Amino acid sequence: MQVTIDINVSSLFQMLFVVVFVFSVSVTARSILRTRATRIAAEFLRCSKVKAGKHAMLERGRSNAPVEEMQLYKDLYFKLQNLEQYPQILPQARDLLILMFSETLTNAHKSSTPGILSIIHYTRKNLATFLKSEYDKTIQQLEQYLARRKAGCAREMFGDREEARRWLKQAAPVKYVDGAWLGLINKITTPFAFRRACKDAWQILSEELGDGDPDKNHVHVYHELMKEIGSELPEAHTAGFIHPRHELDEPRVWKAAVAQLLISLFPHEFLPEILGFNMHYEGVTLETMKAAKELEELKLNASYFLLHIAIDNADLGHTAIAMQAAIRYIEHM
């Protein structure tokens, strides 16, 4: 069995358009915003010093991208976590973020499954119904998976402990920035009108950080898991983390991790995008639930995944809080 990590950055970003392109603006405004995003994306591609081959990486994040293309994301990953040393990358970071927005919008309009963009008119009920539908689909898929396993089918994510270890290690770049998209939310400079929405989002961030208890900090929990499986990676903010010797070679993981860091940097300019991204990311996924079960079967520590299943629950957990934050923003606007 070949273990792959299925991270689609476009699907992660699609939810953010719940605020910007669906609910908060008119059809005319949507057209203006699309034009602006396309223009800035074109400007980024024209002015960037990245070679043409790297442009393809930025647009698609292909898993077979050359090593030098993936290195672009690795370098950004390091510099974005050390901005005090590399403040000059902020303009490039903003352009790349808008390029990702543009890519997502283009892909969403081409997709046969419109997802959140299928909601034409906003009401609390319409939004809640959509998210409940997505949750129900995930639970249905889980039940089908459990039925297959009960019938004697093999594990679907990990063939053995070694494959599980590799998958866990390859996911480290994105797990080591868990919650980063909310890193600058609810600052002292946040406009008072948005404080209630931002407070909800900040509550999620606080819980991602363990509410003051290091043992419950999500990144720390994953660090401990890496130690247990014998992959003692350096701290994510160090130059050593991106060194090739660690064989962290999944381009989609690096791109997703960079996306989380990028979107956090401009909380005033892109607050609705952050809230939409947060609403998507805090949903419980089938992958998380399957990983928890199969890791336990392989006698590996599943605490990180069980923690997320519990804390991201749709009734009172992060899924519900993230929806409430988006609702408060939308209805204020």
Side-chain angles (χ1 to χ4, degrees), residues 211-273:
D211 275 339
D213 183 349
D215 290 336
K216 295 179 182 177
N217 180 295
H218 293 189
V219 174
H220 174 75
V221 172
Y222 210 83
H223 281 169
E224 295 302 301
L225 175 58
M226 290 295 97
K227 292 179 183 178
E228 289 184 29
I229 66 172
S231 298
E232 296 193 30
L233 298 167
E235 296 289 329
H237 66 275
T238 64
F241 185 77
I242 65 173
H243 195 281
R245 69 176 178 273
H246 300 301
E247 299 181 329
L248 298 173
D249 53 10
E250 286 282 351
R252 289 174 294 179
V253 173
W254 287 105
K255 185 175 184 181
V258 167
Q260 292 185 23
L261 294 167
L262 287 174
I263 199 170
S264 73
L265 296 178
F266 310 99
H268 299 327
E269 187 174 5
F270 298 120
L271 176 58
E273 286 86 350

Side-chain angles (χ1 to χ4, degrees), residues 184-219:
L184 298 177
I185 204 77
N186 207 32
K187 298 175 67 176
I188 193 171
T189 51
T190 299
F192 185 78
F194 301 142
R195 289 294 177 90
R196 291 188 69 192
C198 289
K199 180 179 179 295
D200 289 334
W202 188 89
Q203 179 182 338
I204 292 174
L205 174 63
S206 179
E207 293 176 5
E208 296 281 339
L209 297 176
D211 275 339
D213 183 349
D215 290 336
K216 295 179 182 177
N217 180 295
H218 293 189
V219 174

